[in-house]
Amino acid sequence: MQYIDIHTHKKKEDDNTIITSLYAGYEDAVNLPYCSIGIHPWYADGYDMDRLTRYAALPNVVAIGECGLDKLTTTDWQLQEKLFRLQIALANELRKPLIIHCVRAYDEVLQILKQASVQVPVVFHGYNKNEQIAQRILQVGYYLSFGAAIISDSSAVQQVLTNCPANRLFLETDDAPVSIKSIYEKAASLRKTDTDSLILQLQKNLHTVFNI
Ligand SMILES: [Zn+2]
């Protein structure tokens, strides 16, 4: 069965279903089976919303992002907020889900999503925080995507993954030097299920959220 990697910066190289995340070079979107495109808070300088809007309409662009807020980057905070709001509006307009990058800004991200009346599914990618924040995200109906952090047995996020409802869960490699297979195997063992059942569930989630 094919593994599903909903957030990676790699291009397609095997049979697995992947959503390649592009924060620059949007023209590559035409050559990829599925991708998400957005303005990343780290790379906001020289942003071009018109260009993003044009490429975001392509049918194989299945999500907007990664976008969001990051308190550890030097990008101006007002600019980060402005770009995040614009991308929420774009996602609403195109009816495509949002992939969220969030670093030390969960209050602000959740508040802006609410204020901006987000109407599309929202996925917090690379989730690596505590159970309390996870509950706030899940309570409002959003999704969590877990990556390489779950492999480390000293990581508190393993418990969050174990408790995450099956219909709100995704897995990803992002830019980590690990295979999506190893992430599924670890997730399956933590959740006391088998890899095939996990794949079937995540196929359903993929269809619900990304319409793939
Ligand atoms: Zn990423």
Side-chain angles (χ1 to χ4, degrees), residues 7 9 21 66 125 174:
H7 182 90
H9 296 278
S21 177
E66 55 194 288
H125 105 83
D174 200 0

Side-chain angles (χ1 to χ4, degrees), residues 142-200:
Y142 304 153
Y143 295 78
L144 296 176
S145 179
F146 299 87
I150 66 162
I151 290 175
S152 160
D153 287 328
S154 61
S155 168
V157 81
Q158 286 190 341
Q159 195 58 44
V160 183
L161 169 89
T162 307
N163 296 341
C164 182
N167 62 354
R168 300 290 195 79
L169 173 71
F170 286 106
L171 297 171
E172 62 176 63
T173 57
D174 200 0
D175 50 11
V178 292
S179 68
I180 191 66
K181 180 170 182 279
S182 64
I183 290 180
Y184 271 72
E185 283 167 354
K186 188 70 190 184
S189 95
L190 289 166
R191 291 175 65 85
K192 301 194 170 32
T193 181
D194 59 275
T195 311
D196 284 356
S197 312
L198 192 57
I199 290 175
L200 284 174

Side-chain angles (χ1 to χ4, degrees), residues 27-61:
E27 64 280 359
D28 287 351
V30 297
N31 300 314
L32 295 164
Y34 302 114
C35 61
S36 65
I37 66 174
I39 299 165
H40 191 297
W42 294 357
Y43 311 109
D45 287 341
Y47 71 90
D48 187 340
M49 267 311 288
D50 289 340
R51 191 170 155 77
L52 174 64
T53 303
R54 273 201 312 280
Y55 280 99
L58 291 172
N60 60 320
V61 174

